[in-house]
Amino acid sequence: MTKTWRLTRRKFLIGLGTLTGGVAVGLPLGLPYVRRQAFKFLAQGGIPAGSIGNDPLLWFQFTADNLLNIHMTKVEMGQGVHTALAQLAAEELEVPWDNVRVHQAGTLRGPVDSFGTAASASISGLYIPLRQLAANYRMMLSTAAAEHLETQVILENGVFTASNAKTITLEDTSKLSLEWQAPEEDAPLKSISQFKLIGQSMPRVDVVSKLTAQPMYSYDMRSSNSTTYYGAIARPPVAGAQIDRVNNTTTKAMSDIISLVIRDDFVGVVAKTREIAQDAIKSMNIDWTMPKLINDSDINALLTPTSDNAAELKRVGNSSSALNSEAVILSEYSTPMASNAPLEPQSSLAEMDEDGVMHVRTPTQFPSQTRSTVAKAIGIDENNVDVIPTHLGGGFGRRQRAESAVEAAILAIESGLPVHVGWTREDEFLFDRFRPPTKHRLKAVLNNKGQIDALEHRQSSGDVIFTEIPAIAASIAGSDFGATRGIDPVYTIPNLSLYAHRAKLPVDTSSWRGLGLLANTFANESFIDELAHLADEDPLQFRLDHLSGEFGNLLRTALERVADMAQWPGKTGDGVGMGIACCRDYGTVIAEIVQVKIVDNNILVPKVWAVMDAGLVVNPDGATNQVQGNIIWGLGSALKEAIHFENGKPSASNFGDYPLLRMDEAPDMEVTLLPSDRPPQGVGEPAIGPIPAALANAIFAATGKRIRKLPLTI
Amino acid sequence: MQLNINDKIYNIDQIDSNRKLLWVLRDELGLIGTRYGCGAGFCGACTVHINGQPTRSCIIPVSAIAPDARIRTVEGLAENGNLHPVQQAFIELQVPQCGWCMSGQMMSATALLEKDPNPSREDIRSAMKSNYCRCGCYQRIALAVERAAKLMP
Ligand code: FES
Ligand code: FES
């Protein structure tokens, strides 16, 4: 029987982050002020992790053998979030690790998340709220156990022991009552010195399943109570083309299908096998209304960082007058479009039950949004849509939308059958939502001591977050905080100004790992390196000379440590060299050194060192794995990844045109996480930032050639 | 027609023999451990063994498989309830992130170790270079293969 949850206080938990605050400052102050505030808020405060509700019984459930079942709002895409969140909860509930079981919540079961899983914000955002929820539940259970045993109790290893030596397990205690009352005051949280699980490299809860062929991804999902059928959708020749006319539905291949669904904007079939469905779709003759066919030149023309309508993000001192000098140094950098290319193409299984509830198993990073989209597409109430996120075979931002969820739901409701729709790799590339291309124009003036007197960074980028939020919110925010992520340099510079120019591109761009962090850090940290050389200073020392304040000091420690590990500056010249770069991403700082070896104009990377301070790290081995993964992503991006457009089509249709970094190209990596008592900060993305700049800086050290364009080629 | 998969005989008379082994495994036989990444031989997610040879199941139609061929998939790695040394090593080193590439990685690693029980790091990098890991677990994969070499009986 389900228990009812009753609140005795209006507010059970406080301090759950929501995205109001900063942005809502009154307009009378003027738009530029609001924009700067919004930028500051987002740059410093970080992104909220969403509210998590206040009902512990939605999150926690004790079952036989005193097991603690935790229902997760966040989705697991390999970042280890289920394990880390379980550590937070089990810590405060005093449950032994072996008794912890983790489940994915869906929109009709378990806690609902108002945000989603993104921006490296899950752990930092839930560090306090989830522990508080667990601690309060522990307090309620303690009170109940004490009443039951009629004396004071101590909780250890999942069991309450009374002073008279009687015991009761957490599981049995949880069954003592059907109704629970929230405590008047929040229970005290453990201090760091009391932690037993937080800060330990607990083995990940999803690892064994992933290595033993368990069905856990969307592509593995099949109906549990009846035969699963397969769907295929007519794909336009280029993104943005609309169906004009469906001419031929009587081909031989069509005779094998079970169901054909034609709507204004959608043609799909259902068949017994994936291949039959795909062949049938291929055999159809559809006229498409084509959009304007985009080429690289169209995109380039829109990417001009000097335009007048740039939004001012930050202004310190007066850089425009300082930069009006003859000694101004100017450099321009650019990064191309890139693909997310998670290794598992997206797919969804949709199945309607007798009660009219549509169950959709799908790889979404934003279950609540997917629920709304599905409900709207098939015309049923949101409360009848059960979106159950599966494990994701990679997310990286691309799984913000789950188009296949809608496609499968349409086919399922029309055919009355459970339908699985799986995208092909070709679909993934054609309908990717790419990392936007960027251009950066940086200017600086050095003072007579060789230090930076003034710096200006004008950035131009396609949309990142603006493709996801209403136009009105975008107009108030003024600049796309996804595109500008990482643009604020960590250095103390007396005259500094930052501008963002929004390029409204005719291609679909969106979130890519770290959003703008990689592009902006590539520009900033390459430029700093150029300035260091012009000032005739060692690039490490030059950076250290410009650091101050809290984050400056954190970075100083990280830079000195990484230099120590790599024995900076190492051997230089003759095609061998090291490059250094660093960044701050919200509350995380990271410094990285890349070693390069140039052989016959090929850029080889034997080794990379990284030092990260991400506050208290909940699971150090998991965080290390994330840093390693980001180094590989950063190198892939620095050396290979680029999407071009020709006649409306992206340059890649499969990995043959878009090779990823391979094992034989991957460097040896040494990663250090600095100990810290600061609360946990993001670990899933920051390490991607400095890699391309560090590599470009290493190439300069090795060859004297400065490359300002990604991917780097000699 | 029959297929011998993990020492078990599957009758596939009802199945169109032009279909690729990958989809027959996944959609017809319930062996979903073999994963799909590209369908064109680039990524290695679909790697299985045919007579001990690492093979991309996404490009080979079942009609091209000899009747006496022995197919081994990731489901056939564990024996009598004991995980294969490669699986043990991958767990010990906590290799996966998203995990989608891992079946293919382990099948390539197993094929390598069965041929060369003591590969150098360079041997590993070259034998496994055609298995993509988008999450970037390469260093751990290489270390796990070295560890598995020690665990192999
Ligand atoms: S799915 Fe077979 S090689 Fe990619
Ligand atoms: S673990 Fe995600 S692709 Fe390898």
Side-chain angles (χ1 to χ4, degrees):
Chain A
M1 186 198 289
T2 3
K3 289 168 183 168
T4 50
W5 165 249
R6 198 171 81 206
L7 285 171
T8 55
R9 310 271 286 171
R10 217 179 314 145
K11 233 181 174 184
F12 180 54
L13 284 176
I14 45 164
L16 304 178
T18 49
L19 181 62
T20 49
V23 191
V25 210
L27 288 175
L29 290 167
L31 261 184
Y33 175 82
V34 177
R35 282 174 186 164
R36 283 206 300 272
Q37 289 304 308
F39 172 71
K40 199 167 128 202
F41 168 74
L42 291 159
Q44 292 171 9
I47 291 184
S51 66
I52 61 168
N54 53 15
D55 182 346
L57 304 188
L58 278 177
W59 278 82
F60 309 123
Q61 182 191 16
F62 286 98
T63 52
D65 299 326
N66 208 17
L67 296 184
L68 167 65
N69 297 271
I70 311 177
H71 299 269
M72 295 288 177
T73 56
K74 299 296 179 187
V75 302
E76 181 64 61
M77 40 192 163
Q79 80 282 40
V81 70
H82 281 180
T83 308
L85 291 178
Q87 286 176 259
L88 299 182
E91 181 75 65
E92 297 292 345
L93 272 166
E94 279 296 338
V95 171
W97 185 246
D98 288 345
N99 289 16
V100 174
R101 300 290 179 274
V102 167
H103 311 272
Q104 178 68 55
T107 56
L108 284 191
R109 64 196 82 182
V112 179
D113 190 314
S114 65
F115 180 58
T117 310
S120 298
S122 300
I123 304 301
S124 54
L126 292 182
Y127 178 63
I128 300 289
L130 182 55
R131 284 169 60 217
Q132 192 64 66
L133 196 64
N136 288 0
Y137 189 36
R138 180 193 62 208
M139 186 146 107
M140 294 187 269
L141 292 166
S142 297
T143 311
E147 268 170 30
H148 181 74
L149 298 178
E150 297 174 330
T151 173
Q152 284 195 334
V153 290
I154 294 174
L155 174 60
E156 252 174 2
N157 273 327
V159 180
F160 290 109
T161 307
S163 45
N164 56 11
K166 283 193 188 150
T167 62
I168 182 167
T169 63
L170 279 168
E171 180 204 350
D172 290 339
T173 311
S174 75
K175 290 175 181 152
L176 288 175
S177 170
L178 293 181
E179 223 167 89
W180 294 88
Q181 299 196 354
E184 293 287 310
E185 310 245 324
D186 275 345
L189 296 176
K190 284 189 181 179
S191 67
I192 292 179
S193 62
Q194 293 171 304
F195 287 163
K196 294 176 200 154
L197 294 173
I198 298 176
Q200 302 299 315
S201 292
M202 304 317 293
R204 289 235 321 264
V205 294
D206 51 338
V207 153
V208 173
S209 315
K210 285 175 173 176
L211 298 171
T212 52
Q214 302 305 308
M216 57 199 291
Y217 303 93
S218 294
Y219 239 110
D220 306 337
M221 295 298 140
R222 301 294 180 268
S223 170
S224 41
N225 17 16
S226 69
T227 313
T228 301
Y229 293 83
Y230 296 90
I233 317 299
R235 304 284 179 205
V238 301
Q242 303 290 328
I243 294 170
D244 179 24
R245 239 168 68 137
V246 183
N247 298 311
N248 191 351
T249 56
T250 54
T251 60
K252 182 166 173 305
M254 288 297 280
S255 61
D256 293 334
I257 62 161
I258 292 168
S259 188
L260 165 68
V261 180
I262 301 185
R263 302 184 4 171
D264 284 354
D265 53 348
F266 179 98
V267 174
V269 299
V270 178
K272 245 185 99 219
T273 74
R274 217 179 278 290
E275 291 90 337
I276 293 176
Q278 283 162 356
D279 287 349
I281 282 287
K282 269 186 221 134
S283 77
M284 293 178 79
N285 178 352
I286 298 174
D287 291 341
W288 299 90
T289 312
M290 299 293 265
K292 180 175 179 312
L293 298 182
I294 300 307
N295 289 302
D296 263 9
S297 51
D298 302 309
I299 294 167
N300 274 329
L302 291 163
L303 268 182
T304 10
T306 48
S307 161
D308 293 339
N309 68 3
E312 180 182 272
L313 304 173
K314 186 169 184 175
R315 189 172 56 210
V316 179
N318 187 346
S319 54
S320 41
S321 73
L323 289 167
N324 243 337
S325 130
E326 297 212 330
V328 67
I329 302 151
L330 184 147
S331 281
E332 291 183 344
Y333 304 86
S334 66
T335 70
M337 261 183 283
S339 171
N340 279 291
L343 200 65
E344 180 199 18
Q346 69 163 300
S347 70
S348 300
L349 173 72
E351 180 170 17
M352 193 119 179
D353 70 17
E354 295 117 44
D355 302 328
V357 175
M358 178 62 81
H359 304 275
V360 188
R361 296 179 186 272
T362 184
T364 178
Q365 289 177 239
F366 288 78
S368 313
Q369 273 180 29
T370 302
R371 170 180 55 186
S372 318
T373 337
V374 167
K376 226 171 114 198
I378 60 173
I380 69 173
D381 192 274
E382 280 199 9
N383 295 324
N384 286 330
V385 178
D386 179 24
V387 169
I388 311 151
T390 60
H391 282 259
L392 275 57
F396 316 120
R398 177 60 184 89
R399 299 295 181 242
Q400 217 166 148
R401 285 193 198 163
E403 296 89 337
S404 58
V406 171
E407 296 161 356
I410 294 175
L411 291 178
I413 203 166
E414 298 283 348
S415 67
L417 298 169
V419 178
H420 187 267
V421 171
W423 280 31
T424 62
R425 175 57 57 192
E426 288 79 6
D427 295 337
E428 284 283 330
F429 273 111
L430 188 55
F431 303 103
D432 199 354
R433 312 186 64 222
F434 299 100
R435 180 185 78 192
T438 64
K439 284 187 186 171
H440 311 257
R441 170 175 291 203
L442 283 91
K443 286 189 204 167
V445 173
L446 300 174
N447 67 20
N448 52 17
K449 289 195 220 97
Q451 289 187 321
I452 307 171
D453 181 43
L455 189 143
E456 179 188 284
H457 183 160
R458 280 183 184 272
Q459 179 241 40
S460 171
S461 169
D463 290 344
V464 177
I465 303 289
F466 275 9
T467 45
E468 310 298 337
I469 63 176
I472 173 73
S475 77
I476 291 176
S479 66
D480 185 321
F481 57 86
T484 59
R485 183 161 163 191
I487 197 176
D488 198 1
V490 286
Y491 307 106
T492 307
I493 298 167
N495 302 290
L496 172 73
S497 45
L498 306 173
Y499 299 92
H501 166 75
R502 177 183 185 188
K504 287 192 189 168
L505 302 180
V507 286
D508 198 9
T509 56
S510 182
S511 303
W512 190 87
R513 198 168 195 176
L515 313 184
L517 183 67
L518 178 134
N520 291 313
T521 309
F522 170 60
N524 280 343
E525 284 292 292
S526 296
F527 194 53
I528 292 294
D529 214 70
E530 294 198 49
L531 297 179
H533 287 287
L534 287 169
D536 214 7
E537 182 61 274
D538 170 72
L540 167 66
Q541 191 57 47
F542 188 76
R543 285 174 169 80
L544 296 175
D545 290 345
H546 286 83
L547 291 174
S548 63
E550 186 199 351
F551 282 93
N553 288 330
L554 294 175
L555 254 179
R556 177 184 309 282
T557 311
L559 281 163
E560 284 172 345
R561 183 66 175 276
V562 79
D564 220 40
M565 283 161 59
Q567 305 194 320
W568 173 265
K571 196 161 103 45
T572 302
D574 280 342
V576 181
M578 277 185 193
I580 193 164
C582 59
C583 73
R584 170 186 167 194
D585 187 34
Y586 301 123
T588 298
V589 299
I590 180 143
E592 295 177 315
I593 290 179
V594 170
Q595 185 184 50
V596 78
K597 201 168 141 193
I598 311 291
V599 180
D600 300 332
N601 283 347
N602 289 319
I603 304 168
L604 311 182
V605 180
K607 181 130 191 187
V608 174
W609 296 263
V611 175
M612 181 167 83
D613 182 337
L616 187 146
V617 176
V618 176
N619 188 315
D621 187 58
T624 303
N625 208 347
Q626 287 300 301
V627 173
Q628 293 167 338
N630 274 290
I631 292 171
I632 301 297
W633 265 72
L635 285 175
S637 218
L639 291 169
K640 302 186 155 194
E641 297 183 27
I643 290 285
H644 299 281
F645 264 78
E646 210 183 305
N647 288 326
K649 282 200 178 174
S651 49
S653 62
N654 207 317
F655 289 125
D657 319 305
Y658 195 88
L660 304 180
L661 201 82
R662 296 187 315 239
M663 186 192 275
D664 62 337
E665 299 164 319
D668 193 21
M669 294 176 268
E670 234 177 87
V671 177
T672 297
L673 306 176
L674 293 173
S676 167
D677 286 351
R678 292 189 300 133
Q681 309 293 326
V683 301
E685 295 164 309
I688 203 171
I691 291 293
L695 178 55
N697 298 342
I699 293 171
F700 182 79
T703 65
K705 270 191 212 158
R706 175 63 61 184
I707 311 170
R708 301 187 180 90
K709 190 172 165 227
L710 296 187
L712 306 166
T713 48
I714 299 193
Chain B
M1 192 188 166
Q2 292 185 335
L3 292 177
N4 174 345
I5 306 168
N6 303 325
D7 295 326
K8 196 174 149 194
I9 304 296
Y10 291 82
N11 188 317
I12 56 160
D13 281 339
Q14 304 301 314
I15 292 172
D16 175 358
S17 64
N18 291 319
R19 294 176 73 188
K20 305 293 191 285
L21 175 61
L22 172 65
W23 299 111
V24 172
L25 291 170
R26 291 187 58 83
D27 291 350
E28 300 298 333
L29 308 180
L31 297 169
I32 51 75
T34 304
R35 314 290 194 194
Y36 162 67
C38 69
F42 294 115
C43 75
C46 65
T47 307
V48 299
H49 297 179
I50 298 185
N51 296 325
Q53 284 301 315
T55 305
R56 312 241 139 157
S57 64
C58 70
I59 46 181
I60 176 166
V62 285
S63 60
I65 300 172
D68 60 345
R70 300 186 56 188
I71 301 168
R72 192 183 187 195
T73 70
V74 65
E75 285 88 352
L77 280 186
E79 270 173 19
N80 313 321
N82 297 323
L83 292 182
H84 189 277
V86 167
Q87 288 171 306
Q88 290 172 30
F90 273 60
I91 292 171
E92 202 180 295
L93 276 97
Q94 294 279 297
V95 174
Q97 289 185 35
C98 86
W100 189 247
C101 70
M102 286 296 155
S103 299
Q105 304 282 2
M106 293 192 297
M107 295 314 285
S108 290
T110 309
L112 167 68
L113 292 174
E114 279 167 0
K115 235 186 298 161
D116 178 359
N118 217 341
S120 69
R121 178 65 70 94
E122 273 322 300
D123 297 336
I124 295 170
R125 283 158 63 94
S126 126
M128 311 258 319
K129 69 172 182 234
S130 303
N131 282 85
Y132 278 158
C133 177
R134 181 49 157 167
C135 300
C137 304
Y138 293 129
Q139 177 163 310
R140 283 172 192 243
I141 295 168
L143 288 167
V145 178
E146 287 170 358
R147 174 77 185 128
K150 298 218 172 71
L151 296 174
M152 290 283 266

